[in-house]
Each structure stands twice: as C-alpha cells, then as structure tokens.
Amino acid sequence: MKNTEKMSKELIIKTLIRTQNQVIVDLKERISVGKFASDIDEDNTLDPEDYSHQNESVEMNQLLTVQLEKAENDLAKLQAIDFSPKSKIEIGALVKTNQFSFVIGIATFPFNVDGNQYVGISVDAPIYSIMKDKIEGETFSFVNNIYQIVSIN
C-alpha cells in the first residue's frame, strides 16, 4: 500500500470513529433532554393532555435508548475491525470502484474525506455478498449497476 493510501485510510477510519462518537453524544443529549421533558410535577393540576405528552416523551426516550445501544455497538464493532492492508474485498477493506468507494465492515451514511465520497457497508448488506472476495480489476453487478474495482486497500 502506498504511503498516501495508508494515510488516507487512517483518516477515513478516524473520520468514521469521530462521526460515530458524535452520534453517541447527540443521542445521549437527546435522551437527557427527553427525560427532563417527561418528568412532570404530579402535585400540580394537570389535564389529560399533559399525561399524553408525558407518554410521548417516555416512548421517544425508549426509542432513543435503543438507537444509543445500537450506536455504541456499532462503535465497538468499528473499533474491533482489522483495517490492515487487504488484497481482496473483506472486512476492513477500503474499496474504490468506478462509481463509489466503500468501507467494508459497518453501515454508514455517505461521507466525504479529502473530497472523496465513501459509504460504509456491513457484511449483512446484500451488496457485500456479491462483492466479497473480489480483487482489483474485477467487476460486479448490483441493482442494474456494474462496478469496476479500481483498488482495494
């Protein structure tokens, strides 16, 4: 792997970890705000609408808590991935094609690093089973698109 490719891959990994940490911070903050909103003073005179809003807040906090657990699990998975140089498509590979660049191991929204767009895909994604074990120069087809593998590292 060229030195610039190694530095680029390290930057991509750091970006993914930083982004995932920010997702966790944001979810924790939303949960904290939601808990405050769901605590109502039951000694005050309240109408049924107040209780309805409290129930909505509790349900939202439960949903956010599930999302937080998933985000924390995703971060742990990301940190456990072996991102050493790869010669075929497998977990930890950075795959550049003629259309997209993929980070294999965890699903992400598309993101940019140094002007290049990437998307993370998990091994459970349908596209992964099609591209798994392919090497540079090979092609694969997914959803009526043909991808030419330009590089793997």
Side-chain angles (χ1 to χ4, degrees):
M1 179 187 305
K2 297 176 193 165
N3 198 29
T4 56
E5 289 175 344
K6 182 179 179 187
M7 290 176 56
S8 178
K9 190 172 186 180
E10 289 173 3
L11 181 58
I12 292 164
I13 296 162
K14 286 178 182 178
T15 300
L16 283 171
I17 290 172
R18 184 177 57 246
T19 301
Q20 195 65 25
N21 276 317
Q22 188 59 52
V23 167
I24 290 169
V25 167
D26 292 346
L27 285 167
K28 285 180 177 179
E29 183 176 309
R30 289 180 64 195
I31 289 169
S32 177
V33 169
K35 283 183 181 174
F36 177 75
S38 68
D39 290 337
I40 59 174
D41 185 2
E42 293 181 5
D43 292 334
N44 286 337
T45 305
L46 301 171
D47 63 33
E49 188 173 329
D50 291 327
Y51 290 108
S52 171
H53 292 298
Q54 181 187 27
N55 288 338
E56 288 173 9
S57 293
V58 169
E59 289 173 9
M60 181 58 75
N61 270 357
Q62 289 171 342
L63 177 63
L64 290 172
T65 300
V66 168
Q67 290 176 347
L68 175 61
E69 288 174 12
K70 183 185 180 319
E72 289 173 336
N73 287 337
D74 285 349
L75 177 60
K77 286 179 192 174
L78 180 62
Q79 291 172 325
I81 293 173
D82 172 14
F83 283 105
S84 63
K86 310 294 182 204
S87 58
K88 65 180 182 178
I89 297 177
E90 60 183 298
I91 295 175
L94 177 63
V95 181
K96 290 187 181 189
T97 72
N98 59 327
Q99 296 190 40
F100 290 107
S101 293
F102 302 95
V103 179
I104 310 298
I106 185 171
T108 69
F109 288 107
F111 62 98
N112 286 303
V113 174
D114 287 342
N116 297 306
Q117 187 168 18
Y118 300 88
V119 65
I121 61 170
S122 81
V123 295
D124 299 323
I127 193 172
Y128 179 71
S129 62
I130 294 168
M131 64 193 305
K132 182 181 178 189
D133 294 329
K134 299 246 184 257
I135 60 173
E136 283 184 22
E138 289 189 306
T139 61
F140 63 93
S141 178
F142 184 72
V143 190
N144 299 322
N145 289 309
I146 297 174
Y147 298 88
Q148 173 79 38
I149 301 168
V150 175
S151 68
I152 300 172
N153 58 44

